[in-house]
């Protein structure tokens, strides 16, 4: 019997690019004759005609499966839902906008089936076509992340990845609410082959990630995979105490030796403001960890499924 591959495709308002995606999918499925290649679209609460298009495809083509969320839960939730409901021997996560070249699939499959890897991941070595400011901050983020986290997170890594069942099950075991896939993939370990490619621009439609959204996502990554900021807070506290102690000694000696001239209130105001700032900053860091812990303890479902054509859906 043929082995099967499921492509998990998160879609949020992708009506413009879906027909192109389907064409490319058919091409690559034809190339991979020795496999049954299925596609599982996860509609992340799109507000356009995405779900209608997907349903049309599913009617004509029985390899097309879909799952539609009750609202927009975010790409991370879509990836989780896709992995949970994918039943192929191998599973790949792929963006709908064709920025993850389907042409790499045969090479990825070869790595997993013949070369003994548990997953084949991709990273882009250029960021052509991306705003320079965004690339700059992205690079800074990866550098910082790799310094403060023990989990390896590859610069330029995409979520485009093919994996074995074992790898997929390991990821599903990480059922945290605040998900950061790039960290989760690194955390589970196993042998991963990295395939490099030149950045491809989105084929149609618009990016769903604003600069602000990316910033929030990067904070999620840091909080999810490093506790260094918490330790940093203690270090800052100790440092400020030390400086205060030195000042105390200096002022004491000065007063004893030279009497007490009129105190400089501007410097006092500066010190109070500075300390107030440091305290708020540290409380902010604590607050971020606490808020994430709060959300985790609620144990809310990661996604809610509205419609699907998969028979036995396991609700999360
Ligand atoms: N996406 C999603 N939910 C969201 C945002 C994005 O499922 O809330 C999907 C989107 O449809 C696409 C993929 O995630 O398939 C990557 O999004 P996009 O191409 O906009 O991001 P970029 O490539 O610009 O980082
Ligand atoms: Mg994209």
């Amino acid at each position: 019997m043929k082995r099967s591959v499921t492509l998990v495709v998160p879609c949020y308002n992708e009506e413009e690019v879906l027909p192109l995606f389907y064409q490319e999918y058919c091409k690559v499925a034809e190339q991979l004759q020795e496999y049954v290649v299925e596609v599982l679209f996860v509609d992340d609460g799109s507000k356009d005609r995405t779900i209608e298009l997907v349903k049309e495809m599913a009617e004509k083509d029985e390899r097309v499966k879909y799952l539609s969320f009750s609202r927009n839960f975010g790409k991370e939730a879509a990836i989780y839902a896709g992995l949970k409901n994918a039943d192929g021997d191998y599973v790949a996560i792929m963006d709908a906008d064709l920025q993850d070249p389907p042409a790499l699939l045969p090479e990825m499959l070869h790595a997993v089936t013949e070369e003994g890897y548990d997953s084949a991941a991709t990273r882009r070595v250029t960021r052509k076509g991306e705003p320079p400011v965004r690339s700059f901050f992205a690079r800074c983020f990866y550098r910082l992340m790799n310094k403060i986290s023990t989990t390896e997170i590859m610069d330029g890594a995409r979520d485009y990845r093919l994996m074995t069942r074992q790898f997929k099950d390991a990821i599903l075991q990480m059922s945290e609410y605040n998900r950061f896939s790039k960290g989760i993939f690194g955390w589970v370990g196993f042998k991963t082959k990295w395939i490099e490619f030149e950045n491809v621009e989105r084929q149609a439609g618009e990016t769903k990630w604003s600069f602000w959204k990316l910033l929030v996502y990067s904070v999620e990554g840091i909080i999810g995979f490093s506790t260094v900021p918490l330790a940093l807070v203690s270090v800052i506290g100790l440092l400020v105490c030390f400086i205060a102690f030195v000042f105390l000694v200096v002022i004491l000696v000065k007063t004893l030796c030279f009497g007490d001239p009129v105190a400089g209130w501007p410097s006092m105001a500066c010190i109070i403001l500075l300390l107030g700032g440091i305290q708020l900053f540290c409380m902010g860091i604590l607050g971020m960890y606490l808020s994430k812990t709060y959300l985790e303890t609620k144990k809310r479902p990661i996604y809610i499924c509205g419609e699907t054509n998969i028979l036995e859906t396991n609700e999360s």
Side-chain angles (χ1 to χ4, degrees):
M1 216 179 76
K2 278 186 180 180
R3 281 176 295 176
S4 56
V5 183
T6 307
L7 306 180
V8 169
V9 185
C11 304
Y12 178 52
N13 295 346
E14 299 288 9
E15 62 176 4
E16 283 174 55
V17 85
L18 273 182
L20 286 173
F21 178 88
Y22 183 69
Q23 269 176 20
E24 291 296 316
Y25 155 70
C26 290
K27 261 189 234 163
V28 79
E30 207 162 296
Q31 253 180 44
L32 295 167
Q33 293 245 320
E34 64 270 42
Y35 295 93
V36 179
V37 185
E38 281 183 348
V39 57
L40 168 57
F41 290 105
V42 184
D43 168 40
D44 186 8
S46 300
K47 294 182 183 68
D48 62 1
R49 291 190 60 248
T50 300
I51 188 65
E52 280 86 16
L53 288 180
V54 167
K55 278 188 194 161
E56 275 168 28
M57 284 179 214
E59 254 163 47
K60 282 188 230 132
D61 188 339
E62 60 176 18
R63 299 169 304 175
V64 175
K65 304 276 183 291
Y66 66 85
L67 192 157
S68 170
F69 286 177
S70 58
R71 64 165 170 86
N72 179 248
F73 280 87
K75 185 183 178 190
E76 289 291 344
I79 292 178
Y80 180 80
L83 292 181
K84 193 155 183 166
N85 291 285
D87 61 355
D89 297 305
Y90 304 99
V91 181
I93 301 164
M94 194 187 259
D95 282 2
D97 59 1
L98 296 171
Q99 276 192 302
D100 298 333
L104 290 179
L105 266 182
E107 190 184 342
M108 290 160 88
L109 263 171
H110 188 263
V112 172
T113 53
E114 311 293 331
E115 297 168 34
Y117 289 97
D118 300 287
S119 84
T122 56
R123 64 184 283 254
R124 41 184 189 175
V125 281
T126 56
R127 286 176 171 270
K128 188 173 57 97
E130 202 184 56
V133 183
R134 192 162 150 175
S135 303
F136 172 76
F137 278 106
R139 291 239 158 78
C140 291
F141 168 72
Y142 284 112
R143 222 173 289 150
L144 175 76
M145 201 61 202
N146 280 314
K147 283 220 171 76
I148 64 174
S149 172
T150 45
T151 307
E152 194 199 10
I153 293 165
M154 194 67 95
D155 184 4
R158 308 237 355 133
D159 291 329
Y160 184 25
R161 183 184 281 259
L162 183 108
M163 61 194 91
T164 58
R165 258 203 197 158
Q166 196 186 16
F167 192 95
K168 182 194 85 170
D169 290 342
I171 288 171
L172 289 177
Q173 273 183 42
M174 299 186 65
S175 55
E176 59 223 64
Y177 182 76
N178 297 285
R179 303 186 72 75
F180 182 68
S181 283
K182 289 181 172 63
I184 293 176
F185 293 147
W187 195 92
V188 296
F190 293 109
K191 272 173 72 185
T192 295
K193 177 170 185 174
W194 284 96
I195 297 171
E196 299 185 345
F197 71 101
E198 301 261 324
N199 190 30
V200 185
E201 287 186 45
R202 182 176 249 284
Q203 299 297 305
E206 271 172 20
T207 175
K208 311 295 174 307
W209 294 85
S210 62
F211 189 77
W212 178 249
K213 243 177 141 182
L214 278 177
L215 193 74
V216 172
Y217 185 58
S218 64
V219 172
E220 189 117 317
I222 292 174
I223 293 178
F225 285 89
S226 171
T227 48
V228 169
L230 285 176
L232 197 73
V233 165
S234 326
V235 174
I236 294 176
L238 271 180
L239 206 73
V240 173
C241 285
F242 178 73
I243 296 171
F245 184 71
V246 172
F247 262 107
L248 191 102
V249 172
V250 171
I251 291 170
L252 207 70
V253 171
K254 242 172 102 179
T255 316
L256 286 179
C257 297
F258 308 106
D260 192 11
V262 178
W265 69 266
S267 54
M268 189 61 82
C270 287
I271 292 169
I272 292 174
L273 280 180
L274 178 74
L275 288 185
I278 292 176
Q279 279 174 357
L280 283 181
F281 171 69
C282 295
M283 266 166 60
I285 292 183
L286 283 178
M288 284 201 267
Y289 279 88
L290 185 67
S291 69
K292 295 291 170 197
T293 316
Y294 173 60
L295 285 175
E296 289 298 340
T297 54
K298 286 191 178 190
K299 296 230 175 300
R300 285 183 180 164
I302 296 171
Y303 67 93
I304 305 235
C305 179
E307 285 178 83
T308 177
N309 67 347
I310 308 167
L311 289 179
E312 303 116 328
T313 324
N314 319 311
E315 290 293 287
S316 85

